[in-house]
Amino acid sequence: MPTEFDSELSDSLTLVTGGMGFIGSYLTARLLALGGRVVVVDCDTDPGRQSLLHELPQDQRSGLEIVHLDLRDRDAVAALIHGRNFDYVFHLAGYSVIEKSTAFPYDSLMTNAIGGLNVFDAVRRSDTPPRRVVITSTDKVYGEMDGSHYLEDSPLRGIGIYDAGKLTADVMARSHFHTFGTPMSVLRLCNVFGPHDYNVGYRLFPKSLSKIFNPVAPEPPVLYYESMDHWRDYVFVEDVIDALITMACHEQSLGEVFNMSSVVHLSTPSVIKEIIDTSVRILSEVDPYRAELVEKNGMQVTTYGQGALAIQRQRLDHTKIAQRLGFRTSVTFEQGLERTITHHTERLLRNGH
Amino acid sequence: MATRTCLVTGSAGFVGSVLARTLVSRGWRVVGVDREPVPSWRECPDVSQVQLDLCDLEAVLALVGETGPEVIFHLAAQPFVPVSVAEPYATVRDNVLATTSVLEAARLHGVARVVHASSGAIYGSEPGEHTYFESDEPKVGANLYGPSKIAAENIVLAYSRTFGLDVRIGRFMNTYGPGDTSPSRIVPTAVCQALGGDCYDFGDRDDGSTALDFVYVDDVVAGYLAAAEVDDGALQGVYNFGTCDPVSVRDLVRAVSRLADGTEREPVFRGPVADNPRRKCLDAGRARKELDWEPRTDLMTGLRATVDWYREHLHA
């Protein structure tokens, strides 16, 4: 959906770190569609990597430059930021999966904590700083909930390694604003879903959909026993892009942290059930045989068994972003689900069985 | 009984050097780790000194592997708030990245316990009267020191929760005592001026009204030792160490003046006048209860020892 700020980005030069990833690629595509020029930096720019950016038609890529860069390299980050007059910086790069952060704690912290610091530090030292640096943080920085919702000023009691890296970047971003006036804004995200999320190894939506839309034969999505009582907020990826653009351009977001709005608060079993039910409905129109198998398969409940640290219930209060920035989501959970599953269905049909 | 080995990072520093000597006196084999050489007057012949940059993970891994410490006391840090504003990157590097190296080495080499030096700065520096408890929420202020300590603490706790590392965190405020030569701290500044200077001027950082929680170095060291040695303390123990008896910096430097030579100097504080002066202290109820820790040195005794030390060493 367009935002009231889209015109401000039409001739802008923007840096998107992690621009090959799920949210980064959507943001980049939107900025390009608005007529902006975008420099994407990513540590994985392999042309074989699945990314929405690789699927953009050539005529929509003219303003795009992709730079291979590891944000842990302070000098390289500074050279890039000091060498261009970016109007906006969106810092999205980092380890985005809890399990991977746990498996590689040091590397994850270097990327999520020090990588972020390198971006903020380069902006602080820039002679021509961008109008705004927006970073994506996470509801994981809050840790266990005291009440019914997290407020932006709730205590930060992140639990695991992923949480600690994101918390460090979150805290560093805000302290750079408070200390030096570096133009930072922080958006704390909940669970984001949509087409083109290729993180099929870990994230609930793409992982479940990769099972249902397995080209060989549908398999049941997996529900871990440990996740049975997990409750999370969900939002469609395009609403996150609207929020990021609003954050970048709204004067009331300078130096502030905002919780992302969500469209639904659901338990993990309910989400998987919604994914299955919607898949069955959409598939029954085009592939009744697979629809029947998906319905019959249901979900597979198994034990994760690796003692992953997870918070039982996470719920963001989004009053602040609504009241201060006038931000509203525009895609319901059902609409987002429909679009995500339709995308998978079309891809399956296009690629054959 | 086999000798127990520990690592003390920051052993060339003020508190680290006293801690290292105390550990030696208690029979520990102490390996001191510092980036800079230990000043000769702080050297302790029984401490094995190793010079390395804690941000160099490979070097830290090798050292921990070779020495096999039972406990790591991680005190190395960039500890000054004004320096964190002048050198923000170096501050975060030294306080967050170095801590991560230490934790990673502890994890990979199975170190039994890590005692991490944190700070009352994590609670922020809001005006008004505040007594902070361990459960109080950290606050991001207008410097990089407090935030770097917030981040480091969170990483320490994340390693503990994720990998079962036994960690203890000590939050301290204003440590003072013999051997502190930092010109950034108020006690050494006051003593040096009282003993040798012509003026008694404390610059524009404060108007003299700010009251802080001053803890004598021996009590701080006792806090580290208690945190390290208690076996029935909670895993991931976080402890405040403070007197809960804040003293205004004006009263503090007046006392130093009297102790130095009996003169009642009028200190000059040129900072902006505070409408709502800051009085900040740490409640140490948990350390008292679980570690049997008490601040045993009263301010006058501690300041007298500090002045005496300076009198002996200032011109040495």
Side-chain angles (χ1 to χ4, degrees):
Chain A
M1 289 286 285
T3 75
E4 61 181 296
F5 302 105
D6 283 2
S7 59
E8 294 185 30
L9 296 153
S10 62
D11 192 30
S12 61
L13 176 63
T14 301
L15 173 64
V16 180
T17 76
M20 302 289 290
F22 172 42
I23 299 171
S25 62
Y26 267 90
L27 175 63
T28 302
R30 169 76 79 80
L31 294 168
L32 292 170
L34 292 173
R37 289 164 294 138
V38 183
V39 176
V40 160
V41 301
D42 209 296
C43 65
D44 180 4
T45 54
D46 188 328
R49 175 181 176 179
Q50 287 190 297
S51 169
L52 169 64
L53 289 190
H54 288 141
E55 297 178 32
L56 289 181
Q58 200 55 41
D59 63 342
Q60 288 177 31
R61 296 168 54 116
S62 58
L64 174 64
E65 182 184 347
I66 296 175
V67 177
H68 184 273
L69 190 147
D70 188 331
L71 292 182
R72 293 172 299 180
D73 183 341
R74 184 192 185 196
D75 292 340
V77 172
L80 177 77
I81 289 176
H82 297 165
R84 317 280 184 102
N85 291 335
F86 289 114
D87 297 302
Y88 300 94
V89 172
F90 291 92
H91 173 52
L92 280 64
Y95 272 64
S96 61
V97 173
I98 292 170
E99 290 85 348
K100 280 190 189 173
S101 288
T102 307
F104 306 102
Y106 183 82
D107 199 50
S108 160
L109 287 163
M110 289 305 97
T111 301
N112 289 0
I114 304 300
L117 174 69
N118 286 342
V119 173
F120 315 151
D121 181 67
V123 170
R124 175 184 68 80
R125 292 185 289 134
S126 173
D127 294 331
T128 53
R131 281 178 237 173
R132 193 67 61 83
V133 180
V134 182
I135 78 158
T136 49
S137 184
T138 167
D139 52 10
K140 298 286 176 288
V141 298
Y142 292 114
E144 293 293 346
M145 274 200 314
D146 280 341
S148 61
H149 292 78
Y150 300 118
L151 295 166
E152 283 82 353
D153 58 2
S154 293
L156 302 187
R157 300 176 189 146
I159 293 174
I161 299 292
Y162 170 76
D163 318 6
K166 296 297 280 187
L167 185 150
T168 300
D170 185 312
V171 164
M172 290 302 147
R174 288 181 290 135
S175 57
H176 271 69
F177 171 75
H178 291 306
T179 311
F180 307 111
T182 311
M184 311 294 305
S185 300
V186 178
L187 180 63
R188 292 186 183 142
L189 293 174
C190 53
N191 287 22
V192 183
F193 71 98
H196 301 286
D197 184 353
Y198 296 106
N199 212 317
V200 297
Y202 297 98
R203 279 202 204 114
L204 184 61
F205 265 82
K207 192 175 175 182
S208 299
L209 290 166
S210 73
K211 298 279 187 188
I212 291 171
F213 289 90
N214 182 332
V216 180
E219 295 173 18
V222 175
L223 169 65
Y224 290 120
Y225 185 75
E226 292 89 335
S227 308
M228 198 74 87
D229 293 324
H230 289 176
W231 287 72
R232 299 286 183 267
D233 284 342
Y234 293 87
V235 68
F236 190 65
V237 61
E238 287 181 3
D239 277 328
V240 174
I241 307 311
D242 289 348
L244 288 169
I245 289 173
T246 302
M247 294 266 297
C249 300
H250 204 300
E251 60 182 28
Q252 293 293 315
S253 68
L254 179 64
E256 293 287 336
V257 56
F258 292 90
N259 287 340
M260 180 62 199
S261 307
S262 62
V263 291
V264 74
H265 183 68
L266 282 177
S267 71
T268 302
S270 302
V271 172
I272 297 178
K273 185 170 184 313
E274 292 280 350
I275 291 172
I276 292 170
D277 291 351
T278 308
S279 298
V280 168
R281 181 169 56 75
I282 292 173
L283 279 168
S284 62
E285 301 287 323
V286 293
D287 189 345
Y289 179 63
R290 181 177 284 259
E292 197 179 317
L293 285 176
V294 170
E295 189 165 28
K296 197 172 142 200
N297 281 345
M299 67 183 88
Q300 179 193 350
V301 182
T302 185
T303 305
Y304 185 64
Q306 294 181 28
L309 295 159
I311 298 154
Q312 195 158 8
R313 184 183 282 265
Q314 295 204 277
R315 189 163 202 183
L316 293 171
D317 180 282
H318 44 82
T319 309
K320 185 178 175 185
I321 196 168
Q323 290 188 347
R324 293 262 196 104
L325 309 185
F327 178 79
R328 299 278 185 281
T329 54
S330 55
V331 181
T332 65
F333 183 67
E334 291 72 22
Q335 290 167 338
L337 203 55
E338 177 104 11
R339 287 175 59 182
T340 306
I341 291 169
T342 299
H343 170 82
H344 279 264
T345 306
E346 287 171 353
R347 204 171 58 158
L348 183 77
L349 294 174
R350 200 166 53 240
N351 296 339
H353 290 239
Chain B
M1 205 171 88
T3 306
R4 303 166 80 188
T5 299
C6 66
L7 234 59
V8 178
T9 75
S11 70
F14 163 46
V15 181
S17 61
V18 180
L19 175 63
R21 278 199 299 275
T22 308
L23 285 161
V24 165
S25 73
R26 291 184 172 212
W28 286 75
R29 174 183 165 237
V30 180
V31 180
V33 189
D34 294 274
R35 187 167 51 205
E36 308 296 334
V38 182
S40 57
W41 56 269
R42 267 191 193 150
E43 271 179 20
C44 174
D46 295 317
V47 174
S48 314
Q49 286 294 338
V50 176
Q51 222 176 310
L52 60 77
D53 183 350
L54 289 173
C55 297
D56 180 347
L57 176 65
E58 295 305 318
V60 178
L61 281 171
L63 177 72
V64 173
E66 285 161 16
T67 53
E70 183 181 327
V71 181
I72 299 178
F73 293 90
H74 178 48
L75 276 67
Q78 190 298 98
F80 303 113
V81 172
V83 175
S84 82
V85 177
E87 297 288 344
Y89 193 87
T91 299
V92 182
R93 181 183 181 279
D94 288 353
N95 294 359
V96 178
L97 179 50
T99 300
T100 309
S101 299
V102 168
L103 293 164
E104 183 71 350
R107 174 179 84 94
L108 293 175
H109 287 294
V111 175
R113 192 165 289 173
V114 174
V115 180
H116 174 71
S118 190
S119 167
I122 68 150
Y123 299 113
S125 52
E126 294 179 328
E129 191 159 340
H130 300 280
T131 299
Y132 292 104
F133 295 82
E134 289 87 348
S135 55
D136 284 330
E137 179 198 350
K139 287 202 173 60
V140 173
N143 66 76
L144 268 287
Y145 175 70
S148 73
K149 285 299 198 182
I150 294 172
E153 268 200 20
N154 200 262
I155 294 170
V156 169
L157 293 172
Y159 262 82
S160 177
R161 294 188 192 107
T162 308
F163 305 115
L165 196 65
D166 181 347
V167 299
R168 313 294 163 92
I169 293 175
R171 293 175 180 162
F172 300 88
M173 276 192 51
N174 302 74
T175 307
Y176 73 99
D180 182 11
T181 54
S182 167
S184 294
R185 295 201 186 97
I186 186 121
V187 172
T189 306
V191 178
C192 286
Q193 290 194 55
L195 289 180
D198 298 326
C199 60
Y200 211 47
D201 188 330
F202 297 90
D204 56 7
R205 273 177 71 184
D206 201 273
D207 66 348
S209 65
T210 298
L212 300 169
D213 196 338
F214 291 88
V215 185
Y216 189 63
V217 64
D218 288 355
D219 287 326
V220 168
V221 165
Y224 282 119
L225 295 174
E229 287 171 359
V230 67
D231 276 327
D232 55 355
L235 190 76
Q236 306 154 7
V238 180
Y239 300 97
N240 281 344
F241 294 97
T243 64
C244 222
D245 185 16
V247 176
S248 79
V249 292
R250 185 179 296 280
D251 288 347
L252 178 90
V253 301
R254 280 180 173 152
V256 169
S257 176
R258 284 193 295 275
L259 288 166
D261 56 8
T263 306
E264 296 279 353
R265 293 174 180 80
E266 187 53 36
V268 178
F269 284 95
R270 290 180 281 115
V273 175
D275 296 332
N276 184 14
R278 191 156 61 98
R279 282 177 70 81
K280 178 177 177 180
C281 65
L282 303 185
D283 180 278
R286 186 177 176 194
R288 285 175 204 269
K289 187 168 166 236
E290 294 184 16
L291 308 180
D292 196 25
W293 179 87
E294 287 285 343
R296 297 186 196 283
T297 312
D298 67 75
L299 187 66
M300 285 308 129
T301 306
L303 287 178
R304 188 172 293 113
T306 308
V307 171
D308 289 347
W309 182 88
Y310 259 91
R311 200 177 273 123
E312 195 178 322
H313 289 81
L314 193 60
H315 302 295

